[in-house]
Amino acid sequence: MRQRLALLGATGSIGRSCLEVLRHHPERFELVAVGALGSRLEELAAIVAEFRPRLVAVVDEAAARALGRALPAGAELVSGPDALRLAAIHPGVDRVVAAVVGAAGLPPVHAALAAGKDVALANKESLVVAGRLLTELAASTGAAIVPIDSEHVALHQALRAGRPEEVRRLVLTASGGPFLHRDPATFAAIRKDEALRHPTWSMGAKITIDSATLVNKGLELIEARWLFGIAGERVDVLVHPQSLVHSFVEWVDGSWIAQLSVNDMIFPIQYALAWPERWENEFPRLALAEFGALEFLPLDEAKFPSVALARAALASGESAPAVFNGANEVAVRAFLDERLPFPAIVDTIRAVLERHDPHPVGSLEEALGWDAWARRAAEQHLAARSLSR
Ligand code: NAD
Ligand code: MG
């Protein structure tokens, strides 16, 4: 039987790679629902024309009206803030691909898991904001959360080599981003176009900035904690500029198991969609001999304090990772709008976390409440910062 999918964030970088995987395996999938914000309307219309989903969900109402006129007969259109949630719980959908960027992905992911639908998760922010809530919900409904993030897909595979109690630690690899070798004394002069030029991956703007600050690796540390049930102190980061080894598991006997592939998101996406199977494909093969050397370096925590900040937030209480994430989203937006210098992104997260008193997160409303609190606090911090200049 064909898998019946909802793809949320269809017009993004992960969305496009996911559609590429579907095109490689037309006999395996039916794309029942697609969702997007609505900012790339022509692209969305082309996706709808090609895949003929039964439901199209567009958050932006004006974009939805414009798209509505071009919709093929029989397709249903929903719009507004609840649109992606409706796509996630569509009765004809078995599995939801969560490829929205940011905490905006949390309500649809929560709804999918509550409805017992498996989630292939690229939207790491939802696990960062509400990790305990989502993993407990999935356990109670029997829904699976399978990662799409390449590091976590690597860990998911490497963890098949042994039992949980035999794991010593997880080692996330990090490319180091575009500023790995840049003098930190010049970080204040970093321009947006420099930060948007990632050395090894082509991705959406927000995660590309997160990769330059290494906040992305902090988010991934928290994501790993919830996906694999392992304390943050046992998740480490190793810089690997070639991005071919996607992560490692170190076992109690001193063995390491790694996973490698060409650095293209079609590999982890196919893994997530095929799991628990593994499918043949005609994707490009890894030609390791062409690379010669693979490098591994320690993370310079003084230059990139964001991983330590994320680990401390995770240890300090359940709401603190939500605050870490919300403050980061506001600061990254401000950097992309050229309202904030590069080093002030991580300074903003730190300042907002310092004002935060961590609490348990018992419901979706509480998780969204902490996200909103962090955004307000970050905006206040940015306003005070620009006044003092
Ligand atoms: P992107 O910016 O390219 O695409 C984002 C998608 O989400 C678009 O379809 C957009 O319409 C939709 N969207 C944006 N804001 C929305 C909102 N407020 N409400 C509803 N929909 C909204 O982002 P991306 O690079 O594809 O990343 C998506 C997610 O996958 C992120 O969580 C990112 O961290 C994660 N991820 C991405 C990559 C990658 O290679 N791009 C790798 C690993 C993980
Ligand atoms: Mg990743």
Side-chain angles (χ1 to χ4, degrees), residues 112-178:
L113 295 173
K117 298 185 198 285
D118 291 348
V119 172
L121 187 83
N123 179 239
K124 65 192 86 183
E125 294 92 342
S126 57
L127 266 188
V128 171
V129 175
R132 179 178 304 283
L133 193 70
L134 293 181
T135 49
E136 288 182 358
L137 179 62
S140 76
T141 64
I145 306 174
V146 187
I148 280 181
D149 215 349
S150 56
E151 294 77 1
H152 304 75
V153 165
L155 294 171
H156 198 270
Q157 294 178 70
L159 283 166
R160 291 171 161 198
R163 293 197 296 265
E165 63 275 19
E166 296 166 347
V167 173
R168 175 154 183 269
R169 61 182 183 136
L170 308 181
V171 181
L172 298 167
T173 52
S175 72

Side-chain angles (χ1 to χ4, degrees), residues 229-251:
I230 190 163
E233 299 76 51
R234 292 207 291 147
V235 184
D236 284 326
V237 173
L238 189 61
V239 174
H240 167 46
Q242 292 78 21
S243 302
L244 294 177
V245 177
H246 298 303
S247 279
F248 299 94
V249 174
E250 183 184 345
W251 302 89

Side-chain angles (χ1 to χ4, degrees), residues 20-42:
E20 208 179 319
V21 173
L22 304 197
R23 284 188 196 102
H24 273 89
H25 302 285
E27 71 296 348
R28 294 194 186 268
F29 299 104
E30 181 189 347
L31 188 57
V32 172
V34 295
L37 183 59
S39 49
R40 291 195 182 126
L41 214 49
E42 274 175 27

Side-chain angles (χ1 to χ4, degrees), residues 9-15 35-40 59 84 99-102 104 122-125 149-150 201-205 207 216 265:
T11 53
S13 165
I14 291 289
L37 183 59
S39 49
R40 291 195 182 126
V59 176
L84 295 199
V100 167
V101 61
N123 179 239
K124 65 192 86 183
E125 294 92 342
D149 215 349
S150 56
W201 295 99
S202 157
M203 309 180 286
I207 185 177
N216 184 51
M265 290 305 293

Side-chain angles (χ1 to χ4, degrees), residues 3 16 24 30 66 69 78 92 135 145 167 227 230 309 323:
Q3 270 191 43
R16 280 193 300 278
H24 273 89
E30 181 189 347
R69 293 190 279 275
V78 290
T135 49
I145 306 174
V167 173
L227 282 172
I230 190 163
L309 208 55
V323 167

